[in-house]
Amino acid sequence: MRKRNTAFWLAIGLGCMTFLSGCSVTETMDKVIGTTVEEVPLEQEEQTDVIDKEEVKEVDSSVEQPVFTTNLEGNLTCGVNAEVPALQVAAEVSDGGTVTYQWYQNSTNSNGGGVRLEGATAAEYTPDVSAEGTSYYYVVATNTVDGKINMTTSNTMEVTVREGEQTYLNGELVGAGWVKNDRGWWYQKADGTYPANCWMEIDGQWYLFDQDGYMQTGWKQVDGGWYYLNEDGSMAANTTIDGYVLDASGRMIE
C-alpha cells in the first residue's frame, strides 16, 4: 500500500510539473534524472551557415579563367640554407579582371590538397630550404571581375634540399658554390668544372685542393714550404699557429 501511494504522488507531481513548465512527460523525466541535452537554437545554426557561405566565393563560369604564360615545371635541388632563385609564374586574362596569386606547398606531387602558404600572394615565391627534404609547390591564380571569380591551378615544381648539394634548376647548374659529399668539400665552378691540385682564391680567401679536387685542412707542404689551412679550408696568414709564424703569403717563416 505504501508503494502504491508513492507511485501515485510521483505521477501527480510529474503531471503538475509538466502542466506548469509546458514540457512533455519525457522532457520532465529528463530534467528530474538530469539527462536533458541542451540544443543550439535554430537561429544560431542558421547564422553560422550564412557566415560560412559569405566567406567562400563560388567560381563563376562567366568570368574568364586565367591563363598561365609562365608556369611551374621541373625541379630545383640545392643545399641546406643555400641561396636559391625564386619560383615564378605569370597569368593573364583579357576581360579586364584582376589576377591574384596564392602559393601552396604539398608533400606529394599534386597540385591539390596542399598547405596554403600565408602571405605568399605574389607572382614569385622563394621556397624554404632551411632543412633537408622534398616539397612540391603550386599556385592558384584567381581572376576577379565585379566580385565574381574564376581560377586556374598551375603545374607543380619539386624542390629537394640536401646537405652540401649544389644548386641545380631543371638539371642546369645555378652559379658556383661549395659542394659536400661523404669524402669532403669541393668547389664547383659555374661552368661545372672544379679546381684540383692547386690553390684557388674564393671570396677573398685562399684554398688548397688536392689532386681529386677536395679542400685541404691543417698543415700542408707545398713547393717546399709549409702552410696552414684552417678548419673551414681558408689559408692562415700573418699569424702564429702551434708556435710557428706565418707571413703575409701564408708561408711558415723558418
Side-chain angles (χ1 to χ4, degrees):
M1 188 64 163
R2 185 173 182 178
K3 291 182 179 179
R4 289 183 180 178
N5 287 339
T6 302
F8 174 78
W9 288 112
L10 177 60
I12 293 298
L14 289 173
C16 293
M17 290 175 63
T18 301
F19 175 78
L20 293 175
S21 63
C23 300
S24 65
V25 173
T26 302
E27 292 172 331
T28 303
M29 285 296 294
D30 286 342
K31 291 181 181 295
V32 171
I33 62 177
T35 59
T36 300
V37 178
E38 303 220 355
E39 297 181 355
V40 177
L42 180 61
E43 294 79 11
Q44 293 183 20
E45 293 179 346
E46 292 176 347
Q47 182 64 30
T48 301
D49 291 340
V50 170
I51 294 173
D52 291 342
K53 289 177 181 178
E54 288 178 349
E55 291 178 347
V56 178
K57 292 184 178 181
E58 295 183 358
V59 171
D60 192 319
S61 59
S62 67
V63 177
E64 181 184 350
Q65 275 190 307
V67 175
F68 281 101
T69 56
T70 301
N71 209 332
L72 297 176
E73 63 177 354
N75 56 76
L76 171 70
T77 60
C78 66
V80 176
N81 293 322
E83 292 186 10
V84 296
L87 310 183
Q88 297 182 337
V89 296
E92 296 180 351
V93 292
S94 59
D95 61 357
T98 301
V99 178
T100 56
Y101 303 95
Q102 177 59 58
W103 289 79
Y104 293 82
Q105 181 181 10
N106 210 343
S107 58
T108 60
N109 190 7
S110 172
N111 63 351
V115 177
R116 179 189 181 101
L117 297 171
E118 293 298 327
T121 56
E124 63 179 36
Y125 176 75
T126 302
D128 179 10
V129 295
S130 60
E132 290 188 311
T134 298
S135 295
Y136 300 87
Y137 294 87
Y138 64 92
V139 185
V140 174
T142 301
N143 179 26
T144 303
V145 179
D146 297 329
K148 300 176 182 179
I149 67 168
N150 206 343
M151 300 180 292
T152 304
T153 304
S154 73
N155 299 331
T156 61
M157 186 159 191
E158 179 184 60
V159 176
T160 300
V161 184
R162 289 191 290 263
E163 182 66 43
E165 181 67 79
Q166 181 60 289
T167 302
Y168 290 88
L169 179 60
N170 294 329
E172 295 293 329
L173 179 68
V174 179
W178 289 99
V179 185
K180 183 181 181 182
N181 58 23
D182 293 339
R183 183 171 170 182
W185 286 95
W186 53 283
Y187 189 81
Q188 184 164 287
K189 301 177 183 178
D191 62 2
T193 63
Y194 57 88
N197 199 29
C198 65
W199 290 93
M200 182 175 177
E201 186 178 14
I202 302 171
D203 296 330
Q205 298 289 336
W206 284 95
Y207 297 85
L208 179 64
F209 298 89
D210 68 11
Q211 61 183 6
D212 295 321
Y214 288 97
M215 181 191 78
Q216 301 296 287
T217 60
W219 286 105
K220 299 296 176 182
Q221 188 176 32
V222 181
D223 297 330
W226 285 94
Y227 298 81
Y228 184 82
L229 292 310
N230 297 309
E231 289 186 5
D232 63 359
S234 62
M235 182 191 73
N238 285 326
T239 187
T240 300
I241 303 292
D242 299 333
Y244 297 96
V245 178
L246 305 177
D247 62 18
S249 69
R251 189 182 182 104
M252 184 182 73
I253 299 175
E254 298 179 357

